[in-house]
Amino acid sequence: MKVGIISYSLTGNNETLANGLASIYKAEHIRISEIKWRSMGKTVADLLFNRVPPIHFHFTEVAAYDLILFVGPVWGGKAATPFRACFKQLIPRIGNYAFVSISGGALGLNAKLQDDLEKRLKKPPVAVIDLHITELLPENPKPRAADTSAYRITKDDARKLTDTVMTKLRPLFG
């Protein structure tokens, strides 16, 4: 299976995961980067006003892949706003895609994520793999959002998370 990976990462956690997946799949890895610095206020405003932040992104060969694997954070239950411009560019040409995220998880499941992806890409994903940092931390005391925001995944964490993603994607594509 030929895989293309498109990633965005604010903290570096999703970048680490994307790098691990790119290595395993021997995939082309395109990184989305923002033109302007991101603050918490900008993140909240983007979500509230449904804004599309300007990004650096260039990926033309989407049809050449059996699967496009988006890797990035979830904000407010939706794919991080820097993906929005990317999604708009890919709508007319995208085939099979999946979304993988390592996000905090202290606030619960991202139940709206699949609907958000389907709305923005005009078709359902073949998989949504929503991993949480809370699963990497001790249960007691219960991890808070501040704990998960500060956590940076280790190489061992990345290996475990990559294995989890591979296990979940394998039945879809062999």
Side-chain angles (χ1 to χ4, degrees):
M1 170 172 57
K2 189 169 181 186
V3 176
I5 294 177
I6 299 172
S7 71
Y8 169 78
S9 186
L10 181 62
T11 64
N13 286 337
N14 280 285
E15 182 69 17
T16 300
L17 180 57
N19 286 335
L21 292 167
S23 177
I24 287 171
Y25 278 117
K26 306 212 181 332
E28 179 179 9
H29 181 187
I30 305 297
R31 291 161 184 85
I32 296 170
S33 61
E34 292 190 82
I35 293 172
K36 295 181 179 177
W37 180 78
R38 174 157 296 278
S39 66
M40 181 57 80
K42 182 178 178 182
T43 299
V44 171
D46 284 355
L47 291 169
L48 283 175
F49 300 113
N50 202 28
R51 296 190 315 200
V52 178
I55 61 169
H56 294 288
F57 172 74
H58 182 70
F59 189 66
T60 58
E61 299 298 323
V62 70
Y65 295 93
D66 301 310
L67 176 70
I68 298 296
L69 189 56
F70 294 103
V71 180
V74 176
W75 297 342
K78 300 175 181 179
T81 59
F83 279 111
R84 292 177 179 174
C86 165
F87 291 166
K88 282 184 177 185
Q89 288 179 36
L90 298 178
I91 285 172
R93 304 183 317 265
I94 193 149
N96 289 322
Y97 75 94
F99 191 89
V100 175
S101 178
I102 178 70
S103 59
L107 301 177
L109 299 175
N110 293 307
K112 299 177 188 175
L113 180 57
Q114 181 153 339
D115 291 341
D116 179 59
L117 293 166
E118 189 168 342
K119 173 186 161 192
R120 295 190 185 281
L121 285 159
K122 310 294 185 216
K123 66 186 301 184
V126 297
V128 174
I129 302 171
D130 187 19
L131 306 166
H132 297 127
I133 290 172
T134 54
E135 296 169 10
L136 302 172
L137 298 173
E139 289 182 30
N140 288 317
K142 183 179 178 188
R144 299 168 298 135
D147 301 323
T148 61
S149 294
Y151 189 81
R152 297 299 172 260
I153 62 174
T154 66
K155 287 184 181 182
D156 286 339
D157 293 337
R159 221 173 289 119
K160 290 175 195 171
L161 295 168
T162 302
D163 289 346
T164 299
V165 172
M166 298 297 296
T167 299
K168 291 182 178 191
L169 289 178
R170 192 171 292 117
L172 299 172
F173 298 99

